[in-house]
Amino acid sequence: MNINKCIIIDDEPYAIEGLRTYISSIPNLSVVKSYTDPVQALIDLATADMVDLILLDIDMPKITGIELSREIRQKTLKLVFTTSYTQ
């Protein structure tokens, strides 16, 4: 059985925990790393191997999800924007 690797990047720890809980119910999908600091994610992913899925918060401090996605897009075939923003 092939396990798909997932990375979560979100500045809100509770959002990461919610995504981890959801992902734990999906067979063959595993979170290999999560980041609350988008700049650290950018640094680490510069030298990391490809992953199957990146879940990326669209609204973060320092660098937006859109900006970060342009820099890390080559590290995955599937990138999904997430948000925990409510009005």
Side-chain angles (χ1 to χ4, degrees):
M1 178 179 0
N2 188 20
I3 302 295
N4 294 304
K5 298 175 189 172
C6 173
I7 291 176
I8 302 170
I9 306 169
D10 195 308
D11 61 310
E12 298 290 344
Y14 72 89
I16 290 174
E17 285 311 307
L19 288 167
R20 279 183 177 276
T21 299
Y22 178 72
I23 290 167
S24 71
S25 70
I26 301 172
N28 303 331
L29 185 59
S30 174
V31 176
V32 293
K33 186 77 175 172
S34 62
Y35 296 91
T36 55
D37 182 349
V39 174
Q40 187 61 53
L42 178 62
I43 291 166
D44 288 358
L45 289 173
T47 58
D49 293 332
M50 291 227 1
V51 294
D52 300 296
L53 172 65
I54 295 177
L55 299 172
L56 177 58
D57 184 11
I58 201 160
D59 184 31
M60 295 182 288
K62 301 180 189 176
I63 182 171
T64 69
I66 299 290
E67 294 166 330
L68 183 56
S69 72
R70 291 182 186 125
E71 299 298 322
I72 64 172
R73 186 65 185 102
Q74 73 281 1
K75 292 298 183 172
T76 186
L77 295 177
K78 297 176 185 98
L79 188 143
V80 176
F81 289 107
T82 64
T83 187
S84 58
Y85 178 79
T86 59
Q87 283 186 302

